[in-house]
Structures are given as structure tokens and as C-alpha cells.
Amino acid sequence: MAAAASPSADGAEEPGMEAEELPLGCGGGGEGGAAAGRPPEAEERPDLSQASVSNGSDSESGKELVELKVIWNKNKYDVKFRLDSTGADLKQKIHSLTGLPPAMQKVMFKGLLPEEKTLREIKVTNGAKIMVVGSTINDVLAVNTPKEAAQQEVKAEENKKEPLCRQKQHRKVLDKGKPDDVMPSVKGVQERLPTVPLSGMYNKSGGKVRLTFKLEQDQLWIGTKERTEKLPMGSIKNVVSEPIEGHEDYHMMAFQLGPTEASYYWVYWVPTQYVDAIKDTVLGKWQYF
């Protein structure tokens, strides 16, 4: 063990003394001693008291959060969520809030929310509104079962009648021929709804009509030169269609707005590739994107 250094004659410490005494203080009692005796992990443990919490649960310490307003079925939820989470992660969070299974959610932020991209990548910012459209499984079963039964009854009745396109009320519209601005059709193919309105069609009076599907509002807009009708999709009782004879790549289609056939709103020259997507969207059978 090295001998202790002697002070100089004038009482000042020799060079190097201060550096040598530091370890002695560290090994002694008091605060220094308590720090030395503390387990290493205790020294490095972060203070979690200031960590942000996502909507009252699941600690998000160390993650950048964004504040969202999730709106579903007139309900609003204030949510803090990780900015680097994906759209699929957000759907799981919405499931925990609303009970909506992710496969039955249509989540909208500047269009349909991509599941594979992060909120940061699609430029979600604080205060962003996230629109959710969808029904729980129980709601779908309660609403769709009568609709499906009604649709089957309508099909059975149609089989007993002459083709719709030969009936006088439709013949006067179809005899005008195909509209000049009709949208192109693709026979034998089923496509999802386009991002633009379906246009270039006639209604029963022979006037031009366009269909706009407002998924974020769960509405169908039927627009003519005179006005635009904004219909909640849940108010449409049924959708029927039939290929136009001699032009099987186009359909005539009716939206049932009331309890009887007298409430049908007819649209002519609907491209065949969109027929199934229209029925599924309006009647609540979700499209998988």
C-alpha cells in the first residue's frame, strides 16, 4: 500500500494530491457511498413518471405520439397513438374502442387509409380527424338478413316476368341508345368502385345521371342536372340489376328507396364490371381492398 503524501512546508498540497483524494471520497459514506452501493440497473432506470399514455392505457415511453380524433357512428374518441405505427395497427386500436373487427372497418384519412404505411408516411398530424365507417357483426346480421331475403324474393319474381329491358317503361329510355359519354365497360371482370363518380348514364326520364359513393359518410349521391340527392346507404332497401339485351356489357340498375317497387330509382348503362361492387357497397357487404 503506498504511503500517504506529506504536505509541503508552506502548508500547500503537493501537485497531484487533489486527483488522488477523489477515489477516497467515492468510497466513503454519504451520497457517494449510497451511489456506489446501488445496483447498476437502478442507476440507468429511466423516470417513467413523465411518459405519455395512449388514451389512458399502454405506456408509450420513448415513442413520438400524435393526437387523433376518431369519429365513428356519431361517436368521437380522442386518441394518442404512435406516429410510426401502421394503418393496420390503428385498425386494431379502433377495434378495441368500438368493437368493429378490422376487416369490417373502412378507415378514411384523405381517402382510404393504407394498412401497410405508417401514420408518419401519410403525413398524419396532431388533431387529424380519422373517419371510420362500418357496422358490428351483430348490426350487419340484423340489417342484412332481411335485405338478402328481399333480394332473393325479387330475383324469383324477375324470373317469372319478361326481361326488364323489354318492358315499355324501360324501352323508351333504352331506345335512345348508348350515351355518347358512357364509361367504358369490361365484360367478364369485376372491379372495385372507381375513385371518381360513375357518369354517362340515364335515369328513367332519359336525363343524365351520375353516382358518387361517399364512403367516409356512408352515403350514395345521385346527381342530375337539376339537383343531387344524398342518400344514407342504410336507407336503400335493395339493389337490382339486369344486363341490357344486345349490350350485355352494360346493365340497367334500380335502387329501392321505399317499401315497394314503385320506389325504384332506375339507372341505365351501368358498366358491368362495377355492378357487384355497387351492390356490395350499398347493401353493406364490405369490399376488401
Side-chain angles (χ1 to χ4, degrees):
M1 180 173 181
S6 300
S8 61
D10 57 3
E13 294 180 350
E14 300 240 337
M17 284 293 293
E18 184 177 352
E20 291 179 309
E21 289 180 353
L22 286 175
L24 296 176
C26 294
E31 291 183 357
R38 188 182 301 147
E41 62 271 15
E43 295 179 3
E44 299 176 1
R45 185 179 298 124
D47 181 7
L48 297 181
S49 62
Q50 302 300 320
S52 299
V53 176
S54 174
N55 203 36
S57 63
D58 299 336
S59 175
E60 305 287 355
S61 177
K63 303 292 185 181
E64 187 175 356
L65 302 179
V66 64
E67 296 181 359
L68 309 173
K69 292 187 180 297
V70 177
I71 302 173
W72 169 70
N73 200 23
K74 297 183 180 180
N75 297 315
K76 296 182 180 180
Y77 305 88
D78 292 322
V79 178
K80 289 183 179 179
F81 207 65
R82 297 186 305 276
L83 195 55
D84 290 314
S85 295
T86 63
D89 296 331
L90 182 57
K91 281 191 168 187
Q92 291 293 340
K93 181 64 177 178
I94 292 171
H95 182 204
S96 69
L97 293 172
T98 65
L100 281 175
M104 299 182 71
Q105 297 175 20
K106 288 181 182 176
V107 183
M108 312 297 296
F109 174 75
K110 297 180 181 178
L112 196 66
L113 184 77
E115 292 192 2
E116 72 282 0
K117 291 188 177 181
T118 66
L119 304 190
R120 187 190 300 276
E121 289 174 324
I122 61 174
K123 304 187 186 308
V124 174
T125 57
N126 276 327
K129 290 184 178 180
I130 306 296
M131 305 294 298
V132 181
V133 178
S135 301
T136 63
I137 293 176
N138 289 338
D139 290 339
V140 170
L141 291 175
V143 173
N144 281 351
T145 300
K147 285 186 177 181
E148 290 175 0
Q151 193 171 18
Q152 290 175 359
E153 290 176 6
V154 168
K155 285 183 178 179
E157 287 298 319
E158 287 175 350
N159 290 335
K160 300 176 184 178
K161 299 177 182 178
E162 65 177 338
L164 293 170
C165 59
R166 295 183 189 175
Q167 296 176 14
K168 185 177 179 180
Q169 61 170 325
H170 305 302
R171 198 68 260 164
K172 65 181 182 180
V173 179
L174 295 174
D175 284 346
K176 293 181 64 173
K178 191 184 300 184
D180 294 336
D181 57 347
V182 70
M183 296 182 72
S185 66
V186 184
K187 192 174 180 180
V189 174
Q190 295 181 8
E191 295 183 4
R192 67 181 187 180
L193 293 175
T195 56
V196 297
L198 292 176
S199 59
M201 299 172 291
Y202 290 138
N203 59 18
K204 66 180 179 180
S205 62
K208 288 292 182 66
V209 65
R210 66 184 176 277
L211 302 177
T212 305
F213 295 87
K214 292 288 186 179
L215 301 182
E216 68 277 10
Q217 299 174 35
D218 203 28
Q219 292 181 347
L220 168 61
W221 291 11
I222 302 178
T224 63
K225 185 178 180 180
E226 293 77 22
R227 66 178 184 272
T228 298
E229 297 283 349
K230 300 179 180 180
L231 304 173
M233 291 190 193
S235 70
I236 300 173
K237 305 295 187 295
N238 198 16
V239 181
V240 298
S241 70
E242 180 182 287
I244 297 174
E245 215 169 36
H247 301 276
E248 281 73 15
D249 48 343
Y250 289 93
H251 279 229
M252 49 188 294
M253 176 176 286
F255 300 96
Q256 185 176 341
L257 308 182
T260 67
E261 291 185 12
S263 66
Y264 280 4
Y265 187 99
W266 285 99
V267 178
Y268 304 85
W269 303 102
V270 179
T272 187
Q273 69 268 26
Y274 300 130
V275 168
D276 285 345
I278 292 172
K279 291 180 179 179
D280 289 351
T281 300
V282 172
L283 297 177
K285 299 173 186 177
W286 304 106
Q287 300 179 74
Y288 293 89
F289 293 87

